Amino acid sequence: MSLHKLTSSPFKDLSLQHCLQRLGESDGVLLTQDAVYALIHQDIREKLNALSGKVFLLEEDADARGIEANGNVEIIDYEGFVELTLKFNKVVSW
């Protein structure tokens, strides 16, 4: 049970694509920094929404970039981020 923390824009590199290919059944995805831009691309947003209850968005980073959460993406703050790191066995940074 891993939390996959993404920081780079999906338009800059393939980290998100590689992450989704390796995502386990009980894993979660946390979008931070420029990775929040994934939600503006329809195909990527649909893939993330299909992972119901497993995708998290850091509120401060989304607000700073004018990105709104939609679908099944859960918005969390820094306290929620800490809680996620305790909930999952390990954190994988992309």
Side-chain angles (χ1 to χ4, degrees), residues 67-87:
I67 303 296
E68 295 183 17
N70 49 40
N72 295 322
V73 176
E74 182 180 341
I75 301 171
I76 61 167
D77 57 13
Y78 281 108
E79 185 178 323
F81 179 16
V82 172
E83 290 174 13
L84 283 178
T85 63
L86 297 173
K87 176 182 172 184

Side-chain angles (χ1 to χ4, degrees), residues 5-64:
K5 180 181 165 281
L6 291 126
T7 59
S8 60
S9 168
F11 309 112
K12 182 179 176 185
D13 64 35
L14 299 175
S15 296
L16 179 59
Q17 182 179 347
H18 292 166
C19 170
L20 293 176
Q21 291 172 349
R22 291 163 180 79
L23 201 61
E25 184 68 28
S26 59
D27 291 352
V29 175
L30 172 61
L31 302 174
T32 65
Q33 298 178 16
D34 285 344
V36 301
Y37 287 121
L39 296 178
I40 64 173
H41 190 278
Q42 184 176 349
D43 291 340
I44 297 172
R45 187 175 60 243
E46 288 175 3
K47 287 179 185 178
L48 293 172
N49 282 331
L51 303 171
S52 181
K54 297 182 181 183
V55 180
F56 306 92
L57 177 70
L58 193 60
E59 181 177 35
E60 288 81 359
D61 290 337
D63 288 347

